[in-house]
Amino acid sequence: MDTMGLNEIREAYLSFFENKGHLRLPSFSLVPKNDKGLLIINAGMAPMKPYFTGLQVPPSKRVTTCQKCVRTGDIENVGKTSRHFTFFEMLGNFSFGDYFKEQVIPWAWEFLTESLKIPKEKLYVTIYLDDDEAFKIWTEKVGLDPSRVFRLGKEENFWEHGAGPCGPSSEIHYYRGEGTIKNTEDFMKASDDDIAVELWNLVFTQFDKDQDGKYNKLSKPNIDTGMGLERIASVMQNKTSVFEVDTIKKILDMVCKTANVEYGKDKDTDISIRIITDHVRSTTFMISDDIIPSNEGRGYVLRRLLRRAARHGKLIGAKGTFLSELCDVVIDNSFGAYAELKEKRAYIKRVIKLEEERFIETLDSGIEILNEYIQEMNATSSKILSGDKAFKLYDTFGFPIELTQEILEDKNISVDIKGFDVEMKIQRERARNARTEYTYMGSDISIFDKIPENLNTKFFGYDKLQVETKISFLISQDQFVNEIGEGESGILITEETPFYSEMGGQIGDTGIFISETCKGKITNCKKNISGKIMHFIEVTSGELKINDKINLSVDKERRNSIAKNHTATHMLQEALREVLGEHVHQSGSFVDEFKLRFDFTHFSAISEDELKKVELIVNKKIMETIAVDTQVMTLDEAKKSGAMALFDDKYGDAVRVVSVGDFSKELCGGTHIKNTGEVGQFKIISEAGVAAGIRRIEGITGFVALKEVEEKNELLKSIEKELKCNEKDALSKIATILIELKDKEKEIVELKSKLAFNFEDDIIKSMVEVNGVKLATGALKGLDSNSLRDLADKIKSKLGDNSVVVLGSHNDGKVQFIAMATKDAVKRGAHCGNIVREVAKICGGGGGGRPDMAEAGGKNPEKIVEALASVQNIMVNLVK
């Protein structure tokens, strides 16, 4: 058996199946498309679902890939074992109605025993217990001894996931032990002990399971195989752990170097090293596919992995933002197969560093809150932190429960773990209830997805805005129909069309249709999952029928406005790269006839000066009246020409390259103008952040931009009229008015403070004693939080030892409460946070804080007096 590197094995596998007539496809993005039931791609076949169901036509009936995958189901075991990890690469070969068991089983054996030269005596096979066909091929065609083939049940060797394609499977296992496996029972034990290692799963998709659970035979069965690259590499390199595989070991070694620790010396340290090694692989690949840290969805998965790795780095002594440097090792060892890693290196490192910095801040915030909890527990002599508070630290501040336990252990305080687990379970139940049960494709197949595979509408919209064609299909009320009458709406599918369907961020065309017997409006144009063009229509007169001749006309003015915005978007991206840097790349876009929206990678707000520079560059290119050229070429030719592309998009053999002179060159299927001068003018109307590391610019062009300028001019004239001055003096006049307003506001604040302090003596006189602690309360009007705080502090000072002050104020429609207590009052049991929380509830609000000082808000000012009247009873229960 040859010792091969992980990258060598990947190439050997893909080349082997290319030689067997397979089309080699690059890995799909980790972000699923058209699959609502999947958060992140977790298997090699996951992106292929539409091909297996017939919803999309595959680029070839035979395909081979090495797919990036992330699974977090066993995240708690990552690091604790030698085989659990979140990121992995899945080698696969697929047949869509082409070859079946007779071919794939011998190929699998050939690759393992001849290409990789794995000793045949080390390999064992499992099949589904009723699959006599697979048994016959293994024993007769391959020549495997029947004693090395084990029949297992549905749980082990039958693949299914909800309704949809499914079937029996056959797995090939490598035996690390000595001697031979005698029977099924011994094999299962060896498998459980990780001595018999599953290498390759061959799934024979020969059934279609319906909603009633019935298995219907597929007329064209499929093949879906999966082999973990890291696992086969560990076998080839004679390693018992995937963390010792060549490319992964390089990451692990760098983790040790960064933290100045040695692997293999301490169990807990080794767990942290493995967690960091795995998680930095996952996060690097996830960010390269434009997943951004967030508090929901796949962004939350990324954030969780990054923060888990960061925390374990801190545990073993790593300093600063170390993960952003570790990802270089991942990129250097994998960019040969995944070019996006190298292209986005600076971006990936920046996103990781930002999240590490945020986590450090989060830790500081969490520790501050935890210290408040510790003070509260010390005041009440409690030695257990409640589960709900521990969960709040975890859920709100991302504060790991282990870290909470670690800090509290030094204070001889424990955590109510059972209570924490209850809160965690409640959250999981909420998440589970919020999820929908999905079918194989992630959602029920709609009527739109049942348009026949062989129907292909020819698109002429790049050159024509009007086409005479024939009606192929009509859809109304979720079913195929032969006709659609006056006043009805539906879907129109034709043999040809000039209508651009919504795609690549560009909205679909609208227009009209006319036949000899009918006319109506086309309100939108979209594609279904398999790329069939669907016209959304409203029949205004007559009746549409299948096979009718029909004339389709695109709204020319609207199309032109969309094209202006689309071309401007290309110019905007290039201008942003000039001003902000090469790290800028598209994260999303949308263009319609009114405006353009462009999302892009950048890590801080853009200054006014930078926005002006970007806008000026685009407008200069407009004034230069540059020709906008569109060429069709191969993908390789396009890349060699320097055309920009989106890494997570799949492109065909022929691609359209849109060039704005020498300024911009992008792969794009959208519609564009012929010359930049047609844009007229470009105006940025907003810039904002939409996610961590993602900014959004909205802009307008042409007559919409002209209208915006005219409206601004009208607004300026109205301001001049109101200020009774000319345009040049408007700013100085506003500045004078603002100074006057500030002076008046200052006077008002001073008067309110004087008025409040007039009540000081009255509040002190109203003081009562509760179990030996002095309590003063007061309801006021017009005091803001600062004035209220100052007054409470002054009253507390005058009352002296063993005193509590609780004040409420109604100001600008808001209710504000403040409570203050002396240290000796706190020792007696007074707790300002608990007091204001209960008081605020009466006014329909909430709040809290420290035992010695707390604030709260409310919604019902008419209940302030009632709320303050409750303080005495609250104090009775607190003060001992």
Side-chain angles (χ1 to χ4, degrees), residues 78-80 266-276 312:
V78 172
K80 294 178 182 177
D266 177 78
K267 179 184 174 184
D268 290 338
T269 299
D270 287 353
I271 288 172
S272 292
I273 292 168
R274 287 193 290 265
I275 286 171
I276 297 165
H312 279 274

Side-chain angles (χ1 to χ4, degrees), residues 691-708:
I694 302 292
R695 308 297 299 180
R696 171 174 292 172
I697 280 180
E698 292 187 333
I700 49 178
T701 63
F703 287 109
V704 178
L706 180 62
K707 186 181 178 184
E708 172 82 3

Side-chain angles (χ1 to χ4, degrees), residues 432-535:
R432 192 176 294 116
N433 292 336
R435 288 198 297 265
T436 307
E437 291 298 321
Y438 292 107
T439 61
Y440 176 81
M441 270 306 299
S443 62
D444 291 332
I445 295 172
S446 70
I447 186 70
F448 308 130
D449 300 320
K450 295 179 180 177
I451 298 168
E453 184 182 312
N454 59 0
L455 172 68
N456 288 299
T457 303
K458 292 179 182 177
F459 174 66
F460 294 101
Y462 293 131
D463 306 307
K464 300 178 181 179
L465 294 182
Q466 186 172 318
V467 165
E468 186 175 59
T469 184
K470 185 180 175 183
I471 298 175
S472 302
F473 284 92
L474 293 169
I475 299 173
S476 181
Q477 297 181 341
D478 293 331
Q479 58 184 347
F480 291 108
V481 295
N482 291 320
E483 56 190 48
I484 299 178
E486 187 173 322
E488 295 179 337
S489 58
I491 307 290
L492 167 68
I493 299 155
T494 56
E495 292 181 354
E496 296 97 17
T497 185
F499 280 74
Y500 182 87
S501 51
E502 188 174 311
M503 182 174 50
Q506 180 175 325
I507 198 167
D509 282 333
T510 61
I512 60 172
F513 64 85
I514 299 173
S515 72
E516 290 183 358
T517 61
C518 180
K519 63 181 179 179
K521 296 184 289 186
I522 296 176
T523 58
N524 203 350
C525 189
K526 293 184 177 185
K527 286 184 178 179
N528 72 353
I529 194 172
S530 61
K532 311 305 179 189
I533 298 174
M534 305 182 297
H535 307 84

Side-chain angles (χ1 to χ4, degrees), residues 750-799:
E750 288 173 356
L751 286 170
K752 282 183 177 180
S753 295
K754 286 178 182 177
L755 187 64
F757 286 111
N758 287 337
F759 290 106
E760 183 183 317
D761 291 339
D762 292 337
I763 294 170
I764 292 172
K765 285 175 184 177
S766 70
M767 182 269 291
V768 294
E769 282 200 13
V770 179
N771 295 338
V773 174
K774 290 171 278 188
L775 170 64
T777 61
L780 303 115
K781 285 186 179 180
L783 261 67
D784 60 17
S785 57
N786 289 331
S787 299
L788 201 64
R789 195 180 298 113
D790 292 342
L791 180 59
D793 194 41
K794 192 170 183 182
I795 293 171
K796 185 186 75 169
S797 297
K798 286 193 174 184
L799 288 174

